[in-house]
Amino acid sequence: MDRPEDRRLETRSSANVRGLIVTPGLELPCLIVDQSNSGVRLRLDRNLALPNRILLIDIAQATAVEAEVAWRKGQEAGVKRTGAASSLRGLVPSRLAAARAALIRAGGR
């Protein structure tokens, strides 16, 4: 359910799936808590500083989406999708090769 302080115009849906944040030099497991068409709320294992731009992998769906970190509060972060989700199955464009390798290391297919 939406919280009263939620300012989204879109409805959030609960997800609770494993995710992976990938940036140059960083692969960070996370939990995709909920999502809407434009954004995702993440729960991190650790309170680490994230760069402004990340690649978010949904391990179950084997997809990656480029995103910008919109907010941080403790071990939670909100990200805004800046592109469409791309499949990491089969052949991928070179810009997603590192994401596909990270997905495989995380146990995804």
Side-chain angles (χ1 to χ4, degrees), residues 6-35:
D6 193 354
R7 296 183 308 238
R8 288 181 187 259
L9 297 175
E10 301 168 341
T11 303
R12 288 183 181 189
S13 60
S14 184
N16 290 319
V17 296
R18 286 180 33 203
L20 187 63
I21 296 168
V22 177
T23 64
L26 176 69
E27 290 180 15
L28 181 64
C30 65
L31 179 68
I32 299 171
V33 177
D34 60 37
Q35 55 193 340

Side-chain angles (χ1 to χ4, degrees), residues 58-79:
D58 179 327
I59 294 174
Q61 296 296 318
T63 57
V65 65
E66 293 175 346
E68 291 181 352
V69 177
W71 57 267
R72 284 289 311 263
K73 186 174 183 180
Q75 290 181 243
E76 288 197 341
V79 299

Side-chain angles (χ1 to χ4, degrees), residues 44-100:
L44 309 175
D45 290 340
R46 298 179 252 160
N47 191 4
L48 291 177
L50 295 175
N52 291 336
R53 297 181 146 274
I54 64 168
L55 195 59
L56 176 61
I57 298 174
D58 179 327
I59 294 174
Q61 296 296 318
T63 57
V65 65
E66 293 175 346
E68 291 181 352
V69 177
W71 57 267
R72 284 289 311 263
K73 186 174 183 180
Q75 290 181 243
E76 288 197 341
V79 299
K80 180 181 176 184
R81 299 173 201 242
T82 58
S86 301
S87 176
L88 296 176
R89 292 189 171 103
L91 295 175
V92 296
S94 61
R95 68 181 178 81
L96 294 176
R100 186 170 196 290

